[in-house]
Amino acid sequence: MPSLKDLRNRIASVKATQKITKAMQMVAAAKLRRAQEAAEAARPYAERMGEVLANLAVAFEGRDDAPKLMAGSGKDAVHLLVVATAERGLCGGFNSNIAKLAREKARSLIAEGKTVKILCVGKKGFDSLKRDLGSHVIKTIEMRDVKNVGFGNADEIGREVLSMFDAGEFDVCTLFYSEFRSVISQVPTAQQLIPASFEASEGDAETGAAAIYEYEPDEAEILADLLPRNISIQIFRALLENAASEQGARMSAMDNATRNAGEMIDKLTISYNRQRQAQITTELIEIIAGAEAL
């Protein structure tokens, strides 16, 4: 049984930890609002970009002169997985859930005989994947020094992905990130970037036909400019979604840690009081017994 001094030290240690987790929760709550606003503001632009590209892509369906970013390399042998996670931990299952989705995809592709290359954006993604898929990781991009994610950060990653594709280093590129829903809900998501994959708009699904637009300049020239830009835009959206998801997950995790610390303090305090009372009772009995012996 621990001594009273050990219990006092343990209580003091847990109280110090509780103060830290409470402070981290408040910091995450303050950062979450800004990160959530940024993520929600980026969604309409990224979604509208996808709709415009989907309408433009209709003109190239089945054509041999379709842009390479849309048609692909014509092969499905080498897959590049871009795994975007956080630089820091203490945010619940945020990082591990993204890594788990990427790991399942990688193992499925390897089982099919495909070649898998992994580009990690964020230190925690590499830490999670290096044990069993370390040989497939070709590069890790750390963003520890980036306080606020900007489009320039995403554009650098996008340009690197495009240069690898132009060099023939992969055939298919898939982006993994966590979509922010709420403080308690972040959904790991896989999005194919190359070849470009577009969902049909609501109007197309209802009418069965795409709207007809006239473009100036022509579709090929517009796609030549928009398709590379779309890679960076989708990566930028993923980074913003990750930033909001990370703070939401950290806020929830630190709240749970603070509650658990409070419960532990209560239990330790009860144990301390019981042991102290037992010690006092023992000392009183010894004093009384000694007085009676005299």
Side-chain angles (χ1 to χ4, degrees):
M1 180 179 294
S3 65
L4 291 177
K5 183 179 180 180
D6 292 337
L7 287 173
R8 283 197 302 268
N9 292 338
R10 183 82 182 278
I11 292 172
S13 175
V14 176
K15 284 183 177 179
T17 302
Q18 187 183 40
K19 290 180 181 179
I20 295 173
T21 57
K22 184 63 176 178
M24 292 183 66
Q25 178 191 352
M26 296 175 67
V27 170
K31 291 182 178 180
L32 172 62
R33 182 179 62 82
R34 295 192 297 270
Q36 182 177 353
E37 290 175 354
E40 291 176 348
R43 287 174 185 171
Y45 185 82
E47 291 171 357
R48 186 58 180 164
M49 172 70 82
E51 293 176 5
V52 171
L53 290 173
N55 288 326
L56 287 166
V58 173
F60 288 90
E61 288 184 356
R63 289 172 51 176
D64 296 333
D65 60 342
K68 190 176 180 181
L69 288 175
M70 183 181 297
S73 62
K75 297 181 292 182
D76 186 31
V78 183
H79 287 250
L80 175 67
L81 308 184
V82 181
V83 184
T85 57
E87 290 290 340
R88 298 173 178 83
L90 297 178
C91 49
F94 167 72
N95 293 309
S96 60
N97 289 338
I98 298 174
K100 179 181 178 182
L101 182 63
R103 185 181 293 108
E104 291 174 352
K105 178 68 173 179
R107 288 176 175 173
S108 174
L109 291 171
I110 293 172
E112 295 174 4
K114 312 293 185 182
T115 300
V116 174
K117 298 180 179 180
I118 300 176
L119 173 63
C120 293
V121 181
K123 181 175 179 294
K124 289 299 178 181
F126 174 72
D127 291 343
S128 298
L129 297 173
K130 65 181 179 181
R131 177 176 298 178
D132 50 350
L133 294 171
S135 60
H136 297 273
V137 178
I138 59 174
K139 186 176 181 179
T140 300
I141 300 176
E142 294 192 6
M143 303 180 67
R144 184 177 295 274
D145 298 331
V146 179
K147 294 183 178 179
N148 297 314
V149 177
F151 180 74
N153 305 115
D155 194 41
E156 290 180 8
I157 301 171
R159 290 178 184 275
E160 183 160 354
V161 171
L162 287 173
S163 65
M164 292 174 62
F165 181 68
D166 292 337
E169 297 181 22
F170 67 87
D171 303 313
V172 180
C173 176
T174 306
L175 174 65
F176 294 86
Y177 65 98
S178 184
E179 182 180 355
F180 177 81
R181 297 284 179 84
S182 67
V183 175
I184 60 174
S185 176
Q186 301 88 33
V187 182
T189 304
Q191 179 182 358
Q192 182 173 306
L193 295 180
I194 301 174
S197 177
F198 306 111
E199 296 181 359
S201 63
E202 294 181 0
D204 296 344
E206 293 174 358
T207 63
I212 299 176
Y213 296 93
E214 292 184 359
Y215 295 95
E216 179 65 32
D218 61 9
E219 291 92 337
E221 189 173 345
I222 296 175
L223 284 174
D225 180 69
L226 289 188
L227 282 172
R229 186 179 303 180
N230 181 60
I231 302 296
S232 298
I233 288 172
Q234 298 304 328
I235 293 175
F236 182 46
R237 177 190 178 183
L239 294 179
L240 292 178
E241 293 281 351
N242 265 5
S245 297
E246 178 189 355
Q247 299 304 331
R250 179 170 290 114
M251 180 181 171
S252 179
M254 291 301 100
D255 179 56
N256 291 334
T258 302
R259 294 175 185 272
N260 292 338
E263 294 176 359
M264 185 177 293
I265 290 170
D266 292 340
K267 292 179 180 179
L268 290 172
T269 301
I270 291 173
S271 298
Y272 174 82
N273 291 336
R274 285 177 177 173
Q275 188 168 336
R276 181 169 176 270
Q277 186 63 45
Q279 186 174 335
I280 292 172
T281 302
T282 301
E283 291 175 355
L284 288 174
I285 291 174
E286 291 174 352
I287 293 171
I288 293 171
E292 290 180 351
L294 295 175

